[in-house]
Structure formats: structure tokens, C-alpha cells
Amino acid sequence: MSAPRPTRPVAAVGVGQTPFGPTREAPTYVELLQRAAAQALESAALSIDDIDAIVLALAPESLMGVPHAERWCVEYLGAAMKPVLRIQTGGATGLSAVEAGYTHVASGLYDRVLVVGADRVRESGDAQKIFNKIWDPFYERGLPLTTITMIAMSAVRYMHNFGMTEEQMARVSQKAHHNGVLNPNAHIRREVTIEEVLESRYLAWPLKLLDACPQSAGGCAVVLSSADAVDRKSQDPAWISGHSMAGESYYIGDRLELSERGYDYGDAEALAAAAEHAYAMAGITDPAAQIDAVETYASFSPVEIHNAEALGLAERGTAGPMFEEGRFDLDGEIPINPSGGVICTNPISVTAMVRFVEAVLQVQGKAGPHQVEGAKTVVATGAGGSHQFFNVSVVTSEEPN
Amino acid sequence: MSAPRAVITGIGEAAAAPDDSLETMIFRAATAALTDGGRVRADLDGIVLAASDQTDGRAISSMLTAGPAGAYLNDEINVASSPGHALALGYMQILAGTHRCVLVSSWGKSSEAVGGSAPAERLSAEPFFERDGGLSDLGAAAMQAGVNRSRDPERAAAAAAAVVAKNRPGTTAAEVVASALVATPLHELEVAPEVDRSFSVLLERAADFAGAPALAGVGWRSDLGRVGERDLVGLPHLTAAAADAYARAGVADPGAEVGSWHLHDYTPDAEILAYGPLGICAAAEAFDHALRGDDRVNPDGGSLAGVAPFGGPMRTVIEAVRRAREGRARFSVAQLSTGFAGQFQTVAVVEAAA
């Protein structure tokens, strides 16, 4: 089957991010929504009255303690009487919401769509206690399976298959923290050394504290536009040239054997499937040659390693040494997570949207101190559930044909 | 060649069999829709879910429910705000040209929860001002019914009883009035009972729709969250959603062109209040219209005959497709609402094959 072609191109014409940080220092949830939305609208030189429809990114509502919070957020977004819908795909939510907004515009029904979300991840206390309950209560929860042990098992499998070392993981974390220092919006902004990472306490072997993401608060927003509605005088469009999402099986036990394509739980097969689809839409046939930078959802350092492979930036089993060689550093061949990534900032509902916004800023040349020189094609990814839901967006400076 | 449209090639509905898990019930409807459409899971390039964490009792419901709805290594997304919104996104995916074959699924299975869905639903009330006031689905519906009936108490009550008698076969208006008062002014028989159901709708992209009905237009709009600040009887967001859907479908005179309306009548008042915004009759004539009876409205019983929490309003789409397949009228209309007193409104126009 040939790659699907959207009926019309879609551009991001405005983006907004609040500074990210600890929940105790953050404004209220709706204020975070409003600040991010206002910033995105301002950067697009639009007002809320110019917006045809709204997509809200709201991941596990248990984190904020109000089920279906989209219902009471309507008035705070100026969304009454507008078409509004909410997306929830776990950690992938932010990018899924962008994709839903893209679909609004590509369908031809709407010209300008606001995609917005926020999170206060520690609003209900420790998010980890909520995530401990996402597993099937009969078969897997008792392992005990958590979002930490979930990735630890994947890392162990990848180590077994390809010889990844804890030093390679630490190098990923060291790179992320270095980039995060350059990002004024990052939650964690401090340099760490490989030795510090290796000496930090174990969460679940081989994952250590400094291999892991924080629990962040903040808001993020994007204004999407049809090509016809782009105002070239006041707006700087970044184009969505490809996007896709793919889901894995819920039960991790179902992923332990080799799949038909030869992947196992050490890999990110669904990310590879999503990338394949998104690349086909975008006309990317040689990712390592055609992609200038990547903002990938990697909540723990080893995830970034297998993501690089799933995204076609490295052959399977070879990415670990490439990270050690600095080939994915900010000044490397294909910078990965120039913003510092999820290891420095993780406001779950919008973590994946931040990846997209950073990709937009990169192709616009507006990323500031963590700008990748000459970036024209940047890939953003999201991940959610039991390392289960993956999405990929290809953002380009050039309008797709 | 005519412009590509969204065609509904398959529908599936499943009631939970004894001992069915949630995922088994979802799987039954998804499989039924695929079979109905002559498709298999591998044909799907998009899965759209309407999964409510609150109703399903899980932090991320779609982790569990995406698989039985057909998602595995293919494109899938969860629209958590309303089954109507999930239908709208599937519709847009087809129009956008990014997808060719999309399965949209929603469900509700509250029998697993003590007290049904109501205790969980109450938690979705705005936490600072409305939750402590005891706002609930039933309470909001009663407030809406109260405002509606205050306009003409005797006629409104009689109209409500007539709607229940129409939509709940075997029930008389006298029995409605005699049933227990559960939340003033609503009697027990005026409140839709909860059932366990799952629904799936198979959408495909086609340049023509010979042999299958088209999803010719979908509109969806939102009102404010705070019930006290809304026009609970005028329903301006339903009016706007209907206008969007009709314009997209090319319906100029709904009262004359639409053969059947399938409404989410969580109370009889919800049905009566929808008449005006949907163009079934003038809003001022709604009580009289209900008293006369209109067998084009909820001809298959409506939600008052039983509704699954959250995902249940997708029933209206399934019924509209069934009517469209009979080919007796060009258009059938489905109305789906979600949230307290129908905060989110979706209208879908199903067009029979030529």
C-alpha cells in the first residue's frame, strides 16, 4: 500500500511553553494552560477568536485528581461553543494531540486549531504510585511492574542482546543534562558527569537516579494552520511532513519473544513501525542522511539508545558506542534531544508536545542556545503506556509537496 | 470523480455476556464491525478509541482496551472526552486522506463497579465550586429537567411521560408518573438505566458510496463546564453542532429531509430539548411535538431503554446506520452528548446509499 497523502499541508505557526519545574512552584493547572496558549497565540499573531477548534492534551487525569478535567477547562481556554476534544494516550498524549490537531486541519474542516495541554505531575503526590496501578492486576502488576522496572527489563534485554553498558547509558544522561543547561525552559538545568551518573543510587538495575526523568509541571501549546491560512508576513510556518502512531501489546509478557520482524522487548518495535509510516509520508528514505536532529521521548537513558535505532539513525545494536563517540551530541552528526529531552523535563501530558515544539523551534532557527545549526528536518517522538504507544512527527522548514 | 467521503461499511454492537471481561466485550463489537464490513484487522490503518479512564477504572484505560479494539503495530489514538469526538476524529482522518480504513470504538461496563458509574462520575465535577455541591450526572440532568419543566409544568411533565412511553416499550405514561421520584422532577422511569455495551463503527474512504451509507457530516461543539452558567434548555452548542453537521452533509431542511433521529435521551427532557436545535420542530413547539409523538425520533428505543456509561451514546450512530441501510429516507441523524447535562454535543448525519 502506498504512503497516505494528506489532502492539504499543515503548518505549526505558533508555539508556547512555560518554564518547567517542580509542581510546588508552578501556577495552577488552568493557569499553565492559559499561559502556554497565550504564548502560542501571540507567536502566531492570532487571538483565541481566530481559532476554529481546540484539542486538549490531558494524560492520566489521576495525576491531577480530577477525572475528565477537560470538562471544566473549557471556560478557561475560551473554548465555549467551539469544537473541543481531548486526547489521552499516556505519555504519548502531547504528540497524539498534535496529530489530532493536524487531522482537523488536513481534513479541510478547519483552518486554525489550538493544541494545548499542561500537567502538574505531583499534584496528587507521587506520580509513581499512580503509575504502579496501570498494569493488569492479575498477571503483571505483582512482579512488581512499574514504569521504572518496565524500562529496566527492556534495558537488561538490550544489554543481553547487544552488550550495552551502564557507561553508555551514563553518557546519554551526561549529554542530556549538558543540553538541558542550554535550555531556559528545562526543569533540570545542571551538568552531571558520567561518574556522577554511575555513582547515583539504583532505582532498578541497571537504572540509576540520574538515568531517570523528573516529575515536572508546566504547559505547552501549538497553533496549527492550513497552508491557505498562513500569514507569511507575521508567521514563520514549520510544516508537518509526516506523522504516525503505533501501539504495542499491553502485556509485556507478550513482547518477550522475537516478533515477526525480529524485534524483542529490548527494542522499540512500535516506534520503528510509526517511524516507517511517518517517513513514508515525508519522503524520508535515508533517515541518517535526511534528518538533521531528533527530539525523542526517552524517559530513561537506555530508551534513547534503542530509540535511535528504531528511528533508523543507527543499525540495531550499534547506537550505544555511537553515543559514547559523541555522534548524537549537540555538535554531533545528528543531535538527539538538543533541548535536554525528557531526562531534564517531564510534564507528562505535554512531554511529547514539548518534543514537537522543540522540533518546530529548531527548523525555525529559534531554539536559542541549543539550536542545531542549519536544521531543516527534525523528528519528534512520543511514548506512552507500558512502553507501548509511540508516535513520530517529521517537522520540516519546507512545505511538503 | 466525486470527492472522497467517509463511508460506514461496518457496525458492531455487543452486550456483555456473563463473565465477559471488559476487553472481551470490546473485542466482540470490534470483530462484529469488521465482519460486517468484510474486513479483517490487518486492513485497518487507524484505530480510534473513546476510552474513559474514570468509567473504566484505570489510570490509562487504552493500555488495556486498544488491543481488543484492533490496535497492534498500527495507528491508534484515544479520544477521551466523548464517543462523539472519537467519531469526529475518525471522520476527519478519512477526509484528511491520511487513513483509508478506520475502526472507531466506544463502550461502557459499569456493572464491575459498586454503585455503577455514578460515584466515579461525581469526581469529574469542577473541584472547587461544584463537586462539594454534590453535582452528579443525575443531579445535572434533574436541574436541566427542572428548568425545562418550569416553563410549563403540566404540559412539560406530560410531554416527558409521553417520550418515556414511546422510548420504553411496554411502559405507559401513567406508570412513569407513578414511579419513584429520584431527583426532582425526574422519576425513576425518566432516567436511562445503565447497561454494559460496546460499539464499533468501521469507516472507509471512498470516492462513491454505492452500497454503503456515508458519514456525510459530523459537527461537535462544547458548552461551559459549570452547569449553573449554561443555557440548559436552549442548548446553543447543540444548535451549532447540528448546523455544522447539516452544512457538511448538505442537509438544508432537516425536518423534511431526515427520516429518523437517534438521540441520546438520558432523560425525556434531553430528547425534548434537542428537537429545536436539531430542526425536528420549532423549539417553541417541542412539548406539543412530544405529546403528539414522533415515530421518527428514537424509533429503536433510545437511551431510556438502556445506555452504557460514557461510550453508550455511540448507539445512536449504530441505529442511524441500520436505518440508512433500510433506505427508506436519505438522511438519518445521530446525536451524542457527554458530560453533565450534555456539555459536549456531537451530531452525525448518515446518508443512505444512492
Side-chain angles (χ1 to χ4, degrees):
Chain A
M1 189 179 283
S2 60
R5 301 300 305 174
T7 52
R8 61 180 187 163
V10 180
V13 294
V15 295
Q17 300 181 70
T18 67
F20 298 98
T23 299
R24 65 180 180 276
E25 296 173 7
T28 65
Y29 176 78
V30 292
E31 285 174 307
L32 290 170
L33 285 178
Q34 289 171 331
R35 291 182 189 194
Q39 195 183 123
L41 290 167
E42 185 180 353
S43 73
L46 297 172
S47 78
I48 192 68
D49 293 336
D50 298 313
I51 296 298
D52 301 323
I54 294 175
V55 178
L56 181 68
L58 175 56
E61 51 209 19
S62 310
L63 295 174
M64 63 184 296
V66 186
H68 286 298
E70 71 273 12
R71 296 176 185 172
W72 61 279
C73 291
V74 166
E75 47 257 65
Y76 299 101
L77 285 170
M81 299 302 139
K82 290 184 188 292
V84 178
L85 56 78
R86 172 203 165 193
I87 301 297
Q88 142 67 321
T89 55
T93 296
L95 197 50
S96 296
V98 171
E99 292 177 5
Y102 168 95
T103 303
H104 279 67
V105 177
S107 72
L109 299 184
Y110 301 102
D111 276 324
R112 296 190 183 102
V113 175
L114 172 67
V115 184
V116 59
D119 222 328
R120 290 168 52 89
V121 172
R122 291 187 70 98
E123 183 82 315
S124 295
D126 186 354
Q128 201 57 52
K129 290 179 179 172
I130 291 166
F131 288 125
N132 289 349
K133 295 180 176 63
I134 63 178
W135 313 100
D136 181 273
F138 301 107
Y139 297 104
E140 293 197 330
R141 190 185 290 177
L143 279 176
L145 198 52
T146 71
T147 48
I148 299 172
T149 57
M150 161 184 91
I151 297 300
M153 287 196 295
S154 175
V156 169
R157 184 65 189 169
Y158 185 87
M159 286 171 130
H160 171 80
N161 287 343
F162 301 117
M164 178 179 72
T165 65
E166 291 181 70
E167 286 76 12
Q168 290 168 354
M169 292 164 46
R171 178 67 172 83
V172 172
S173 178
Q174 179 268 327
K175 171 189 68 70
H177 283 87
H178 173 74
N179 293 351
V181 169
L182 303 174
N183 177 1
N185 290 319
H187 178 176
I188 306 295
R189 299 187 69 197
R190 71 179 180 93
E191 298 277 2
V192 301
T193 64
I194 291 173
E195 291 70 28
E196 281 179 281
V197 179
L198 291 171
E199 289 168 7
S200 62
R201 69 180 171 88
Y202 278 105
L203 302 175
W205 187 83
L207 300 178
K208 294 167 284 296
L209 185 65
L210 290 176
D211 287 311
C213 58
Q215 300 181 14
S216 310
C220 189
V222 180
V223 177
L224 300 175
S225 173
S226 66
D228 292 342
V230 170
D231 180 349
R232 312 264 171 180
K233 293 177 184 169
S234 62
Q235 296 172 336
D236 186 5
W239 301 92
I240 302 176
S241 294
H243 76 83
S244 187
M245 181 164 183
E248 261 285 3
S249 64
Y250 173 42
Y251 293 97
I252 288 175
D254 289 342
R255 296 182 228 161
L256 297 183
E257 295 184 356
L258 283 180
S259 71
E260 289 179 5
R261 303 204 300 184
Y263 289 92
D264 72 12
Y265 188 54
D267 306 301
E269 180 172 12
L271 177 61
E276 184 180 327
H277 194 85
Y279 291 171
M281 282 181 73
I284 292 177
T285 53
D286 184 352
Q290 293 174 266
I291 294 169
D292 299 314
V294 170
E295 279 285 342
T296 190
Y297 193 118
S299 46
F300 297 88
S301 60
V303 173
E304 194 165 314
I305 294 174
H306 75 191
N307 280 8
E309 296 169 6
L311 292 170
L313 308 179
E315 296 294 324
R316 282 183 68 203
T318 67
M322 293 172 71
F323 277 95
E324 283 186 311
E325 293 161 8
R327 294 165 70 176
F328 301 122
D329 287 359
L330 189 53
D331 59 357
E333 295 163 18
I334 308 170
I336 296 182
N337 288 330
S339 70
V342 186
I343 285 178
C344 293
T345 305
N346 189 25
I348 293 168
S349 289
V350 291
T351 300
M353 197 190 307
V354 172
R355 310 275 69 73
F356 178 83
V357 165
E358 288 290 340
V360 169
L361 292 171
Q362 287 289 346
V363 302
Q364 289 177 330
K366 298 176 180 174
H370 58 286
Q371 176 68 45
V372 176
E373 194 175 335
K376 296 189 181 307
T377 300
V378 179
V379 167
T381 83
S386 56
H387 209 45
Q388 175 186 6
F389 304 130
F390 293 90
N391 36 25
V392 175
S393 279
V394 180
V395 182
T396 60
S397 56
E398 297 295 322
E399 183 175 345
N401 296 323
Chain B
M1 193 172 103
S2 55
R5 305 184 79 182
V7 176
I8 304 173
T9 54
I11 52 174
E13 177 178 0
D19 299 327
D20 262 4
S21 64
L22 173 64
E23 52 268 49
T24 300
M25 186 180 75
I26 294 167
F27 178 76
R28 287 185 200 281
T31 304
L34 288 170
T35 302
D36 187 40
R39 294 291 190 182
V40 296
R41 198 190 67 79
D43 294 325
L44 297 170
D45 60 9
I47 310 293
V48 183
L49 312 174
S52 164
D53 298 340
Q54 169 187 261
T55 308
D56 294 342
R58 290 172 176 269
I60 308 175
S61 167
S62 61
M63 288 175 61
L64 172 73
T65 54
Y72 176 65
L73 296 181
N74 51 8
D75 191 273
E76 61 96 5
I77 193 165
N78 174 30
V79 187
S81 44
S82 165
H85 297 168
L87 182 77
L89 187 62
Y91 167 70
M92 289 190 288
Q93 287 182 337
I94 295 291
L95 294 187
T98 52
H99 296 72
R100 297 183 179 93
C101 188
V102 176
L103 190 64
V104 182
S105 296
S106 71
W107 54 84
K109 191 171 188 291
S110 59
S111 63
E112 295 182 9
V114 176
S117 67
E121 185 70 23
R122 274 198 287 276
L123 295 175
S124 68
E126 192 275 340
F128 300 108
F129 299 100
E130 294 197 326
R131 188 186 291 179
D132 284 352
L135 187 66
S136 65
D137 254 351
L138 178 61
M143 279 190 263
Q144 183 180 47
V147 178
N148 182 40
R149 296 191 194 185
S150 68
R151 300 185 296 168
D152 189 343
E154 286 190 15
R155 266 200 323 149
V163 167
V164 177
K166 170 175 70 73
N167 292 358
R168 280 187 148 169
T171 303
T172 65
E175 287 172 328
V176 175
V177 176
S179 65
L181 194 64
V182 292
T184 304
L186 296 174
H187 291 258
E188 185 177 1
L189 289 175
E190 293 175 316
V191 178
E194 289 193 349
V195 296
D196 293 342
R197 290 281 191 286
S198 60
F199 307 91
S200 293
V201 177
L202 184 63
L203 303 176
E204 298 197 51
R205 181 178 171 89
D208 58 58
F209 53 107
L215 185 56
V218 182
W220 62 106
R221 297 288 184 123
S222 169
D223 204 344
L224 298 169
R226 292 184 188 172
V227 176
E229 296 180 8
R230 285 159 47 189
D231 179 354
L232 292 174
V233 298
L235 306 184
H237 56 319
L238 177 57
T239 303
D244 288 345
Y246 292 157
R248 288 164 187 163
V251 176
D253 183 357
E257 295 178 74
V258 175
S260 63
W261 277 275
H262 307 268
L263 313 185
H264 178 37
D265 50 328
Y266 49 89
T267 65
D269 301 84
E271 176 175 312
I272 293 166
L273 291 170
Y275 290 171
L278 289 171
I280 297 171
C281 68
E285 303 293 323
F287 292 145
D288 290 337
H289 196 83
L291 285 167
R292 283 195 298 272
D294 186 343
D295 59 8
R296 299 173 304 165
V297 182
N298 278 327
D300 302 304
S303 298
L304 282 166
V307 63
F310 188 74
M314 191 70 86
R315 164 196 65 77
T316 63
V317 179
I318 301 284
E319 290 176 359
V321 172
R322 287 182 181 138
R323 291 281 163 170
R325 285 178 174 178
E326 292 172 1
R328 284 188 283 185
R330 183 177 173 193
F331 295 113
S332 302
V333 169
Q335 176 242 348
L336 307 83
S337 65
T338 306
F340 294 130
Q343 181 194 358
F344 296 135
Q345 294 282 356
T346 303
V347 176
V349 179
V350 179
E351 184 174 1

